[in-house]
Amino acid sequence: MDEQDKLLKHMIIEHKMVIADVKLVADFQRYILYWRKRFTEQPITDFCSVIRINSTAPLEEQDNYFLLCDVLPEDRLLREELQKQRLKEILEQQQQERNDNHFHGICMFCNEEFFGNRSVLLNHMAREHAFNIGLPDNIVNCNEFLCTLQKKLDNLQCLYCEKTFRDKNTLKDHMRKKQHRRINPKNREYDRFYVINYLELGKSWEEVQLEDDRELLDHQEDDWSDWEEHPDSAVCLFCEKQAETIEKLCVHMEDAHEFDLLKIKSELGLNFYQQVKLVNFIRRQIHQCRCYGCHVKFKSKAELRTHMEEAKHTSLLPERKMWDQPEYYFPTYENDTLLCTLSDSESDLTAQEQNGNITIISEDISKLHALKQSSILNQLLLHESLKN
């Protein structure tokens, strides 16, 4: 990062060159090398916006600065491609760590040694010391993460408030009494250790969550006295229409938006996970107010919907390689009921099992006890025992 700052400073002073939103560039070195090559092929003014300062001053005192940003389609595509490549690398690294059974680590609080998988140590610290940095499957570059935390403790620094203490015992008492056995969520240094921060270009997990919270607050009502429970409804991909079954929702999308999900599934031969990725891809594009048919971005979802319906772009799907990507295993919206209604045919499942191409995504078992207590199996077993 120090070298990057020096380079940016040099470019501004010596070449009057400014790169917008540098923090959103997933691979700064590859980004710089790409544009270094392009600037040898064409004039810089073909790519950069020219900003003139001191425009009212005499001509010899005026100066031009060059702004390189993602308003340029080529720059935007480069940033997105670097983001995809970084996500691919991160997912591969995470998978390697999940399968690694040669991990060796020492607990930061009791110095007990652990061998095998990283989850053994992380679960021990969460269970025995109430120090929870997240589910092991959500973490990447775990060794570096643990070394970073250990270094802070060795420097007698609290992991949460980041104050420094005079000795180890004082630090331990402080973290125990103040319940500071957790990391500081505002410290951006930790973002690179969580997979969720690599999913969407330019957004951290807090920003994505904040968007969802704002959406909930906009629709929140003060009076809950007449609240009644309703079955979960699936939401249309293009508007706010909801339906209790996928059949009703597909009829709506076909009639209102000329988008036939069942026909697309049949024609493209999509299995369950491919359907999930397609739905998540469309959700992401609509959320970003971007038409997936022509890649034009709009100011609002209403303008986007009008454009897509008039241009017949709802049914104009891009090439499979655009949406059939690992990043679209992850939903755009939490608890997207539409994903739960997707299904495979029996023939699809049989063929996939024979080919061994089924991708398995682990479930969150952190609330296993609560799941057992609320399971419908308890009611079925009780009903059966009463019958007997």
Side-chain angles (χ1 to χ4, degrees):
M1 290 300 295
D2 291 339
E3 294 299 319
Q4 177 176 318
D5 291 340
K6 289 179 183 177
L7 176 59
L8 293 172
K9 183 178 180 180
H10 162 80
M11 290 167 60
I12 293 176
I13 295 174
E14 299 296 332
H15 307 288
K16 298 179 173 56
M17 172 79 181
V18 179
I19 300 175
D21 297 321
V22 176
K23 67 178 182 178
L24 304 186
V25 179
D27 190 329
F28 181 74
Q29 184 174 0
R30 287 180 58 192
Y31 180 86
I32 289 294
L33 291 175
Y34 176 88
W35 283 116
R36 177 185 174 90
K37 180 176 181 296
R38 293 291 283 131
F39 289 159
T40 63
E41 299 170 350
Q42 293 177 234
I44 190 173
T45 50
D46 288 356
F47 308 105
C48 297
S49 302
V50 180
I51 302 173
R52 176 165 294 180
I53 62 172
N54 297 330
S55 57
T56 57
L59 188 62
E60 63 272 9
E61 297 180 13
Q62 297 181 17
D63 222 337
N64 289 335
Y65 278 77
F66 304 96
L67 176 64
L68 181 62
C69 63
D70 62 359
V71 172
L72 180 71
E74 184 176 353
D75 186 85
R76 175 72 186 181
L77 290 173
L78 174 61
R79 292 177 185 234
E80 290 179 348
E81 185 59 35
L82 293 176
Q83 176 75 7
K84 290 179 184 178
Q85 184 62 33
R86 174 59 59 87
L87 176 60
K88 180 182 178 182
E89 294 169 356
I90 287 296
L91 291 176
E92 289 174 353
Q93 175 66 23
Q94 183 203 33
Q95 187 63 39
Q96 179 183 342
E97 293 181 15
R98 290 175 64 183
N99 296 333
D100 181 19
N101 290 320
H102 298 90
F103 174 84
H104 172 233
I106 301 175
C107 176
M108 294 184 287
F109 302 100
C110 67
N111 294 326
E112 183 178 349
E113 285 191 272
F114 292 88
F115 300 88
N117 192 273
R118 60 181 183 159
S119 60
V120 179
L121 173 57
L122 297 180
N123 290 335
H124 160 81
M125 291 194 295
R127 183 176 60 252
E128 301 297 332
H129 305 289
F131 181 70
N132 188 0
I133 57 175
L135 293 175
D137 286 348
N138 295 339
I139 294 173
V140 68
N141 296 319
C142 185
N143 280 331
E144 184 184 352
F145 194 4
L146 293 175
C147 288
T148 301
L149 298 176
Q150 185 64 59
K151 186 177 180 180
K152 288 180 180 292
L153 292 178
D154 291 342
N155 291 331
L156 305 179
Q157 187 178 26
C158 174
L159 298 178
Y160 181 72
C161 67
E162 302 186 340
K163 293 180 181 178
T164 303
F165 294 83
R166 64 177 181 271
D167 56 56
K168 187 170 288 188
N169 288 332
T170 306
L171 172 61
K172 288 173 64 177
D173 289 342
H174 162 80
M175 293 181 68
R176 178 176 55 83
K177 292 177 181 178
K178 296 291 186 178
Q179 297 183 348
H180 281 190
R181 283 191 176 179
R182 48 194 171 128
I183 63 175
N184 182 359
K186 295 181 180 180
N187 190 334
R188 299 274 75 87
E189 179 185 6
Y190 302 130
D191 285 355
R192 69 182 188 274
F193 300 118
Y194 292 93
V195 175
I196 192 172
N197 289 302
Y198 297 90
L199 300 183
E200 188 166 348
L201 181 64
K203 290 186 181 179
S204 67
W205 66 271
E206 287 180 309
E207 291 171 311
V208 175
Q209 189 178 50
L210 187 60
E211 287 180 356
D212 295 340
D213 291 343
R214 284 173 180 166
E215 195 170 309
L216 288 172
L217 288 172
D218 289 342
H219 297 87
Q220 189 174 5
E221 295 181 1
D222 295 328
D223 185 12
W224 292 77
S225 58
D226 59 345
W227 181 81
E228 294 181 2
E229 185 174 359
H230 297 283
D232 291 336
S233 298
V235 182
C236 173
L237 291 170
F238 305 99
C239 67
E240 306 302 323
K241 173 69 176 179
Q242 299 184 22
E244 295 178 9
T245 65
I246 189 173
E247 289 78 14
K248 292 181 180 179
L249 189 63
C250 286
V251 169
H252 159 75
M253 289 193 292
E254 185 177 358
D255 293 341
H257 309 292
E258 297 183 2
F259 181 85
D260 193 339
L261 181 60
L262 298 179
K263 182 180 178 181
I264 291 173
K265 170 192 171 183
S266 176
E267 289 182 348
L268 298 182
L270 304 182
N271 60 31
F272 172 75
Y273 290 104
Q274 290 168 334
Q275 293 176 66
V276 166
K277 286 189 279 189
L278 178 60
V279 168
N280 288 335
F281 167 80
I282 295 176
R283 289 270 196 232
R284 181 82 60 86
Q285 300 305 305
I286 301 300
H287 176 71
Q288 295 176 344
C289 298
R290 189 188 303 277
C291 174
Y292 54 73
C294 62
H295 310 296
V296 175
K297 191 169 184 178
F298 294 84
K299 293 182 179 180
S300 67
K301 291 182 180 179
E303 292 181 12
L304 170 64
R305 192 181 306 125
T306 301
H307 158 77
M308 294 186 73
E309 290 175 359
E310 290 178 353
K312 308 294 184 183
H313 281 186
T314 51
S315 58
L316 187 62
L317 289 178
E319 296 179 6
R320 184 188 290 259
K321 65 181 181 181
M322 289 288 295
W323 55 264
D324 197 0
Q325 299 291 335
E327 65 184 289
Y328 297 115
Y329 277 130
F330 304 91
T332 301
Y333 300 115
E334 188 176 2
N335 301 325
D336 189 347
T337 308
L338 177 57
L339 297 177
C340 302
T341 61
L342 303 174
S343 63
D344 269 319
S345 65
E346 290 186 8
S347 59
D348 290 337
L349 287 173
T350 303
Q352 290 173 42
E353 289 171 353
Q354 291 174 350
N355 294 330
N357 289 331
I358 296 182
T359 305
I360 303 299
I361 300 177
S362 61
E363 295 181 355
D364 181 2
I365 59 171
S366 59
K367 299 180 180 179
L368 187 58
H369 179 71
L371 182 63
K372 290 179 179 178
Q373 295 294 327
S374 60
S375 175
I376 193 173
L377 292 176
N378 295 327
Q379 301 177 27
L380 294 175
L381 289 172
L382 177 62
H383 179 69
E384 188 67 24
S385 61
L386 291 174
K387 284 173 60 179
N388 295 336

